Amino acid sequence: MTDIQYVAPSTLDEAVGAYAAAKGAARILAGGTDLLVQMRAGMVKPGLIVDIKKVAELSAIEKTPEGGFRIGAAVSGAVLEEHPTFGKVWPGVLEGLNLIGSTQVQGRASAGGNLCNGSPAADSIPGLVAAGAIATVQGPNGRRNIPVEQVPTGPGKTSLAPGEILVSFTLPPRPAHSSDAYLRMIPRTEMDIAVVGCAVSLTMDGDTCTAARVSLGAVAPTVLLVEDAAKALVLTKLDDASLDKAAAACSAACNPIDDKRGTIAYRTKVAGVLLKRTTAIAAERAKGG
Amino acid sequence: MPDGTTGTGIGAAVKRVEDFRFLTGKGNYTDDINRPGQSYAYILRSPHAHAKITSIDSSAAKAAAGVLAVFTGEDMQVGSLPCGWQIHSKDGSPMLEPEHPPLAKGKVRYVGDQVAVVIADTYSQAKDAAESIVVNYEVLPAAVSMSDALTDKSLVHDDIGSNLCFDWEIGDEAAVDEAMSKAAHITKIDLVNNRLVPNAMEPRAAVGEFDAATGEYTLYTTSQNPHVIRLLMGAFVLSIPEHKLRVVAPDVGGGFGSKIYHYAEEAIVTWAAPKIGRPIKWVADRSEAFISDAHGRDQINHAELALDANGKFLALKVQTQANMGAYLSTFAPCVPTYLSATLLAGTYTTPAIHANVKAIFTNTVPVDAYRGAGRPESTYLIERIVDQAARETGIDKVEIRRRNFIPADAFPYQTPVALQYDSGDYEATLSSATKIADVAGFAARKAEAASRGKLRGMGYSTYLEACGIAPSAVVGSLGARAGLYESAEVRVHPTGSVTVFTGTHSHGQGHETTFAQLVSDRLGLPMENIEISHGDTNKVQFGMGTYGSRSLAVGGEALIRAVDKIIDKAKKIAAHVLEASADDIEFKDGNFTVAGTDRSMAFGEVALTAYVPHNFPHDELEPGLDEKAFYDPANFTYPGGCHICEVEIDPETGVTEVIKFTAVDDVGRVINPMIVEGQVHGGVAQGIGQALLEYAAYDDSGQLVTGSFMDYTMPRADNFPKFDVTTEGTLCTHNTLGVKGVGEVGAIGSPPAVINAVIDALWDRGVRDMSMPATPEKVWSALQAAE
Ligand SMILES: Cc1cc2nc3c(=O)[nH]c(=O)nc-3n(C[C@H](O)[C@H](O)[C@H](O)COP(=O)(O)OP(=O)(O)OC[C@H]3O[C@@H](n4cnc5c(N)ncnc54)[C@H](O)[C@@H]3O)c2cc1C
């Protein structure tokens, strides 16, 4: 085995500096539930590991001045679960993150790692995309903000430039009677990669849906924002015809890789089915909230 | 037999005494064994399904840090890994038996085949060095599927000239054809019994050691049968005489059949230990286990069942293709033949049966017995075709079974396929299961599910199996190259405690509890005075190990016989001390008493006297209290019963949920009901796993595409409801304990119950067939196709 250097800086600048200086030979370590598995399997052989968990901003959960949430990229699902209000406002985001792995894995796994690992089936990402979350990224050339759906560019690939570190996710403030939900099609449960994942975020005015965002995972090379599905829901009473239309939009958006976990036809159909079921849960929650 | 007087006897739900050490991490598994000066082996495996090895250059690996040696097939000139069962084809010719070198010679035949071994100071050094071995392969077309292999276009073994290992038959074909010609109806079915990866919790491991001072070899290994390994490896592969070879199978974390066989790695570490002058440890990682542990099942069947106008079965005809994989694993040939085709009568009176089995070599991992071994295959076939026949003839699926059951008063019952069942009452287990499963309320539950858009189905399996393996004379006449008796030694120590040496091996079954209960029951001793010892050829006299649900029915019976010899001897000692005739001594509640008197001796006193024989008449009475027995059963045992599965299917996603699973099993006398229940639970879990989740899939080039837990869907607790498990029924008539065996019934009975339930749920929507595993995608696609 080759020697591996390990640093755990306490400031973001140090982290970015060490990461950028290693020029591609370094890897960021958040929870390590992807990275360590990949290292043990010999898939990646970093010369330097930059552990970001000691950087306060990356491990913080804060309210924004606008009334939204900012979540550090390295916050684990278990920590987010314990936050007193986050799960009440964003139950769908939280349930996506805490579908990952098992209790042990959730104690480590972060949404930032889930995003930067670049899996099209990443469970926490559709929820963040549906939420309209913004990713803050910092690199040698400073800070920038991009919508979460623009981070992944393909399986295992992201739009992060060399030396850039994902810092946090910012979720917008929530109007009354808003909620969200995430469902994945589970041929089995938590230890598996979703065949299809669907997140829906809604704002309701009585029985009428006034705003919606829909995101699908595992049906294309990246997590998708499905605007046509959202359009089909907005300003409707989420009646069967609108749901059918939204489901059809989800099916149409699918561009899955045919693999042994599910054929194209199946994923495509199930994407529509999940849209309907997720919407029903989100609407129920929104009316209650 | 009454319940144990001590509360730990036969029938008592004694907590497993071994569990404390397992649950507190104090078990002693092969990987826990570290010998002084130990080195580590890494096996370089073939990345190709079929290739010629044109050259191997290991010079860089030999020079790498920490490396002690690198060996290839050219270096390791030893015997072939032997096959323990010979089948003859229907034309009388013996099966084709290819050479199976522990390290490949000239050719690799499956992804995972052993190419070289690197031995180093640490495992990482060995693994890193292996990367620098340059192997030049000339990749050959692979025979992956059985149909491809049968064309012989690409030969797995050039020297034997064919991929057809044997073409075997059983039964009276003429009688079957005659019955078919007169049938009112013939039901036909085509089935695939999916390939499975056993996946015991503990991966295989082996430590080889050589003592230069004594010339003695020791192999620590994850085996279900250390004496069998000593015999096979010592006599056939490495030519080490048995008195110089010790094989120890310490705590073993599950086997399910996959740890019966003699594997290459055992021979490699034992052979190499004296070469490098240090002990060598090899431990498989999980990915390696997927491509090097023998796989299970993998059959294709075509079956035809002839019925008369009343739905009585007239004849059954079966054609089977059985995948052997690339080499013959230790017991592979008997699985589709004598452990499967001989069971084709099932619980029914079908008078004429014929089966033809073609065993085929392919470029895949060798296939051998896996929990149930052959019996799940025949059970799946019978219970699927019976359900199919019921639907085609319009006879209720329970009624058709009742009409054809072997009646409870017809035992012993001779089937047309060799076996003679000794006891059973299939009607009884069926009616109990029907009540427990609340069959009467099913229609209402189905309607309620339909109101939620869900499809409910109920499936039956009224199965039978043959275990308690096995009468030596019978298996010998059928091709076994071994006897399948068992042995036990009962050593009473001077202070009255007892060590039992059994030739069976416990790798999760709880023998340390059950066998101690037998002794406790018979000798009236508390459990803590009884130790069960197994798994070490230097301690245990001999034994054939544990598989085929044989431990209690064969090993337990041997133990009881040895205990009875102890009682006989103890009576003689008591008679001597009490100055009576041995015939007048009664043994009860741990005391030896002269009948009709109050003169008595406790068991402990007799034991002490045996070892302090100050006034023994030495020509009549030997000192000591230590007896052994070898027991060869007169027949197989025949557990059977009824499994009923209720499923609910979500037609929009194809997800099948098992709502209720009822098992009523006749396993003969129950020694420990808690352990029996646990065995059935585990078996049913594996059976549902086969039916709904598990599948070892190969791609066209012979790569195992489900080679990790990411792709190979092991069942987990949340895939199951709480099972309703009960036992009832009849006693085995040919062993004194009346026990039949419970290790495999769950895995044997359950798969057809699940699939029959799935088909039942989908029937109204036009689906007529479903193969295992019934994955959501498959169920969904079947629904789409039927629309
Ligand atoms: C048993 C098990 C089950 C799992 N089940 C699931 C599941 O059901 N669903 C699912 O989606 N995933 C699953 N995973 C995968 C994994 O747990 C998730 O992807 C998790 O969210 C990764 O987070 P992490 O903090 O552990 O990331 P890490 O492993 O620390 O990092 C992942 C990758 O992202 C990079 N990275 C991490 N943080 C940053 C950052 N801030 N900036 C730049 N790059 C960064 C790392 O260098 C690495 O390449 C499972 C993993 C295991 C071991």
Side-chain angles (χ1 to χ4, degrees):
Chain A
M1 289 232 173
T2 41
D3 282 344
I4 303 169
Q5 304 263 354
Y6 169 88
V7 293
S10 53
T11 69
L12 191 52
D13 287 343
E14 282 176 87
V16 169
Y19 187 42
K23 293 210 188 321
R27 287 285 165 146
I28 301 293
L29 174 76
T33 59
D34 278 317
L35 183 63
L36 295 189
V37 175
Q38 290 161 5
M39 283 170 60
R40 287 202 57 135
M43 289 155 64
V44 293
K45 296 180 175 168
L48 172 69
I49 288 178
V50 182
D51 186 340
I52 53 171
K53 288 190 291 292
K54 298 267 181 340
V55 180
E57 189 179 1
L58 277 93
S59 297
I61 307 170
E62 297 160 337
K63 281 288 232 180
T64 61
E66 298 77 34
F69 281 97
R70 184 171 300 124
I71 305 159
V75 169
S76 72
V79 166
L80 197 57
E81 176 92 48
E82 301 210 327
H83 190 274
T85 52
F86 183 84
K88 296 198 174 80
V89 184
W90 296 104
V93 172
L94 192 61
E95 72 198 351
L97 185 56
N98 281 338
L99 270 177
I100 291 176
S102 53
T103 303
Q104 295 93 321
V105 173
Q106 286 154 18
R108 289 261 146 191
S110 65
N114 204 214
L115 181 63
C116 295
N117 186 55
S119 163
D123 273 309
S124 72
I125 307 311
L128 288 165
V129 169
I134 302 295
T136 299
V137 173
Q138 185 161 328
N141 301 326
R143 230 173 228 242
R144 61 192 180 102
N145 293 323
I146 41 171
V148 169
E149 59 271 26
Q150 289 174 19
V151 174
T153 54
K157 298 202 184 85
T158 69
S159 60
L160 264 55
E164 276 188 329
I165 295 178
L166 177 70
V167 179
S168 62
F169 298 100
T170 305
L171 284 76
R174 234 21 192 148
H177 303 298
S178 299
S179 198
D180 64 345
Y182 177 71
L183 278 184
R184 68 174 174 187
M185 168 54 209
I186 31 174
R188 51 187 288 168
T189 54
E190 69 273 12
M191 296 286 213
D192 208 349
I193 301 299
V195 169
V196 181
C198 178
V200 175
S201 173
L202 297 175
T203 301
M204 302 294 293
D205 180 1
D207 286 339
T208 304
C209 169
T210 55
R213 278 173 72 91
V214 174
S215 174
L216 288 177
V219 298
T222 63
V223 171
L224 299 176
L225 174 68
V226 192
E227 285 171 330
D228 288 348
K231 270 187 212 140
L233 299 176
V234 174
L235 297 181
T236 74
K237 292 198 182 321
L238 303 178
D239 50 292
D240 286 349
S242 319
L243 287 170
D244 282 343
K245 220 168 135 194
C250 282
S251 298
C254 292
N255 177 21
I257 326 151
D258 195 0
D259 63 20
K260 56 189 181 285
R261 291 201 186 92
T263 63
I264 292 177
Y266 178 63
R267 283 188 188 209
T268 305
K269 174 68 198 317
V270 168
V273 172
L274 283 197
L275 176 279
K276 292 186 187 180
R277 293 184 182 175
T278 315
T279 304
I281 297 169
E284 195 61 36
R285 287 176 181 165
K287 285 179 200 163
Chain B
M1 235 174 279
D3 272 6
T5 46
T6 58
T8 54
I10 290 173
V14 178
K15 282 204 179 128
R16 299 193 350 153
V17 297
E18 47 271 81
D19 282 351
F20 180 77
R21 92 171 173 274
F22 294 152
L23 294 175
T24 54
K26 302 227 163 53
N28 184 36
Y29 296 88
T30 301
D31 192 21
D32 295 321
I33 290 167
N34 293 302
R35 305 298 302 158
Q38 175 176 291
S39 62
Y40 294 82
Y42 175 81
I43 308 280
L44 181 70
R45 296 181 183 278
S46 170
H48 304 294
H50 195 195
K52 257 197 202 115
I53 301 174
T54 54
S55 68
I56 303 180
D57 180 357
S58 48
S59 50
K62 283 178 177 154
V67 171
L68 302 165
V70 179
F71 299 111
T72 67
E74 296 311 313
D75 305 315
M76 193 177 177
Q77 297 293 338
V78 298
S80 172
L81 298 172
C83 179
W85 202 296
Q86 188 179 44
I87 296 291
H88 283 83
S89 286
K90 54 189 181 189
D91 66 5
S93 59
M95 67 184 186
L96 299 183
E97 217 172 331
E99 199 200 340
H100 188 182
L103 289 171
K105 286 186 190 155
K107 211 174 159 188
V108 287
R109 296 184 171 84
Y110 64 95
V111 174
D113 207 350
Q114 304 80 223
V115 175
V117 58
V118 184
I119 301 159
D121 288 333
T122 70
Y123 180 75
S124 320
Q125 286 171 337
K127 193 173 176 180
D128 281 355
E131 280 184 32
S132 63
I133 299 178
V134 182
V135 187
N136 282 311
Y137 293 103
E138 180 190 326
V139 177
L140 302 168
V144 181
S145 70
M146 288 193 274
S147 54
D148 276 359
L150 271 180
T151 64
D152 280 346
K153 272 196 208 124
S154 177
L155 288 176
V156 180
H157 298 273
D158 314 81
D159 50 330
I160 58 171
S162 171
N163 291 331
L164 183 62
C165 175
F166 59 78
D167 185 355
W168 173 91
E169 66 175 350
I170 191 170
D172 185 341
E173 189 169 19
V176 167
D177 290 343
E178 161 86 17
M180 290 269 170
S181 70
K182 294 188 183 136
H185 182 80
I186 295 178
T187 292
K188 301 180 181 177
I189 200 163
D190 287 289
L191 301 169
V192 176
N193 212 286
N194 40 329
R195 181 184 272 247
L196 304 170
V197 182
N199 275 320
M201 198 185 290
E202 178 204 22
R204 286 190 299 114
V207 180
E209 186 174 10
F210 178 70
D211 184 338
T214 61
E216 217 180 272
Y217 291 83
T218 304
L219 169 69
Y220 301 89
T221 182
T222 49
S223 175
Q224 302 178 210
N225 30 241
H227 286 88
V228 175
I229 300 305
R230 186 181 65 171
L231 181 66
L232 295 177
M233 186 175 81
F236 296 93
V237 186
L238 301 182
S239 304
I240 303 170
E242 278 154 309
H243 66 294
K244 291 292 183 192
L245 175 57
R246 174 182 176 205
V247 178
V248 183
D251 284 332
V252 173
F256 311 113
S258 71
K259 292 174 182 164
I260 298 172
Y261 324 117
H262 176 36
Y263 285 95
E265 297 86 356
E266 296 169 323
I268 292 169
V269 295
T270 310
W271 171 83
K275 304 240 168 334
I276 66 155
R278 286 168 64 175
I280 305 169
K281 177 186 275 189
W282 169 81
V283 181
D285 67 23
R286 184 59 67 182
S287 308
E288 205 174 1
F290 268 92
I291 55 168
S292 70
D293 293 1
H295 289 178
R297 317 273 195 270
D298 204 344
Q299 284 192 4
I300 298 174
N301 319 95
H302 173 77
E304 302 190 7
L305 178 67
L307 298 93
D308 73 10
N310 295 320
K312 282 282 276 185
F313 306 155
L314 300 175
L316 176 66
K317 191 166 187 166
V318 176
Q319 269 129 28
T320 291
Q321 293 181 3
N323 200 337
M324 297 285 104
Y327 299 95
L328 286 180
S329 175
T330 312
F331 288 110
C334 76
V335 175
T337 52
Y338 292 106
L339 292 178
S340 195
T342 50
L343 270 298
L344 284 169
T347 50
Y348 310 109
T349 55
T350 317
I353 297 174
H354 181 262
N356 170 237
V357 179
K358 292 185 169 65
I360 300 162
F361 291 114
T362 60
N363 290 114
T364 63
V365 172
V367 180
D368 207 325
Y370 166 62
R371 200 172 196 170
R375 291 147 287 162
E377 294 91 312
S378 54
T379 302
Y380 184 64
L381 185 153
I382 300 162
E383 293 302 304
R384 284 286 314 267
I385 203 169
V386 165
D387 248 43
Q388 180 81 13
R391 292 199 189 89
E392 288 177 5
T393 56
I395 303 171
D396 175 75
K397 57 197 171 205
V398 174
E399 173 58 25
I400 200 167
R401 286 176 163 86
R402 290 209 153 107
R403 273 186 212 174
N404 287 284
F405 273 157
I406 298 163
D409 60 7
F411 294 89
Y413 181 82
Q414 178 63 49
T415 74
V417 273
L419 299 179
Q420 191 186 73
Y421 305 163
D422 66 337
S423 64
D425 187 346
Y426 312 126
E427 177 60 47
T429 43
L430 171 65
S431 39
S432 297
T434 304
K435 283 187 204 103
I436 297 167
D438 186 21
V439 171
F442 175 69
R445 295 195 295 278
K446 189 177 168 82
E448 186 281 329
S451 74
R452 291 180 283 112
K454 301 287 160 63
L455 311 172
R456 277 235 179 180
M458 186 175 256
Y460 291 79
S461 165
T462 47
Y463 76 96
L464 165 130
E465 67 130 330
C467 64
I469 290 173
S472 297
V474 176
V475 295
S477 72
L478 302 180
R481 288 162 168 164
L484 287 167
Y485 50 83
E486 198 43 78
S487 85
E489 178 180 341
V490 177
R491 188 177 298 166
V492 181
H493 303 293
T495 58
S497 65
V498 171
T499 303
V500 169
F501 298 91
T502 171
T504 65
H505 186 276
S506 184
H507 30 280
Q509 294 87 345
H511 296 173
E512 288 168 51
T513 308
T514 317
F515 283 22
Q517 281 183 255
L518 292 180
V519 176
S520 172
D521 190 86
R522 211 66 155 209
L523 294 181
L525 298 176
M527 292 285 282
E528 57 270 25
N529 286 9
I530 306 158
E531 190 69 30
I532 307 295
S533 178
H534 63 87
D536 184 342
T537 60
N538 270 17
K539 287 188 185 165
V540 178
Q541 53 292 343
F542 200 74
M544 296 306 295
T546 287
Y547 39 82
S549 305
R550 69 189 304 273
S551 294
L552 191 57
V554 191
E557 191 69 16
L559 171 54
I560 281 299
R561 288 173 187 230
V563 170
D564 286 348
K565 287 185 188 176
I566 290 284
I567 295 172
D568 281 350
K569 171 84 183 280
K571 279 184 178 170
K572 287 187 189 137
I573 296 170
H576 167 70
V577 175
L578 299 172
E579 296 177 330
S581 151
D583 294 341
D584 292 336
I585 302 290
E586 287 172 349
F587 179 57
K588 199 168 168 268
D589 299 338
N591 288 306
F592 294 89
T593 310
V594 182
T597 74
D598 59 359
R599 283 187 298 144
S600 93
M601 274 179 94
F603 182 81
E605 288 177 88
V606 174
L608 189 63
T609 311
Y611 290 94
V612 190
H614 284 162
N615 61 359
F616 269 26
H618 287 302
D619 45 346
E620 289 164 32
L621 197 57
E622 286 177 18
L625 197 50
D626 189 340
E627 297 287 344
K628 64 169 78 90
F630 279 69
Y631 167 73
D632 203 329
N635 193 353
F636 292 87
T637 57
Y638 298 95
C642 178
H643 290 186
I644 300 180
C645 179
E646 188 167 334
V647 299
E648 184 169 298
I649 294 175
D650 178 343
E652 292 201 278
T653 60
V655 172
T656 299
E657 187 188 347
V658 178
I659 300 289
K660 202 168 158 62
F661 196 97
T662 308
V664 179
D665 299 298
D666 173 359
V667 298
R669 186 179 322 279
V670 170
I671 307 300
N672 183 320
M674 188 180 66
I675 288 179
V676 161
E677 197 176 326
Q679 287 290 314
V680 177
H681 274 227
V684 168
Q686 278 169 307
I688 296 177
Q690 169 165 30
L692 295 181
L693 299 158
E694 299 180 50
Y695 177 42
Y698 277 94
D699 70 10
D700 293 342
S701 69
Q703 295 290 338
L704 182 65
V705 290
T706 52
S708 78
F709 286 147
M710 203 71 132
D711 322 285
Y712 185 90
T713 319
M714 288 293 281
R716 292 199 306 252
D718 61 358
N719 294 117
F720 307 122
K722 199 173 166 343
F723 305 141
D724 284 312
V725 172
T726 43
T727 56
E728 68 169 51
T730 56
L731 296 180
C732 171
T733 61
H734 59 81
N735 60 45
T736 58
L737 287 167
V739 297
K740 297 188 179 184
V742 68
E744 295 159 295
V745 293
I748 292 167
S750 57
V754 178
I755 296 296
N756 284 339
V758 170
I759 295 174
D760 185 51
L762 301 175
W763 190 262
D764 294 342
R765 299 279 285 258
V767 175
R768 294 291 174 264
D769 189 21
M770 181 50 59
S771 63
M772 299 191 289
T775 60
E777 192 269 328
K778 230 191 248 177
V779 168
W780 181 83
S781 298
L783 281 165
Q784 303 309 301
E787 262 175 15

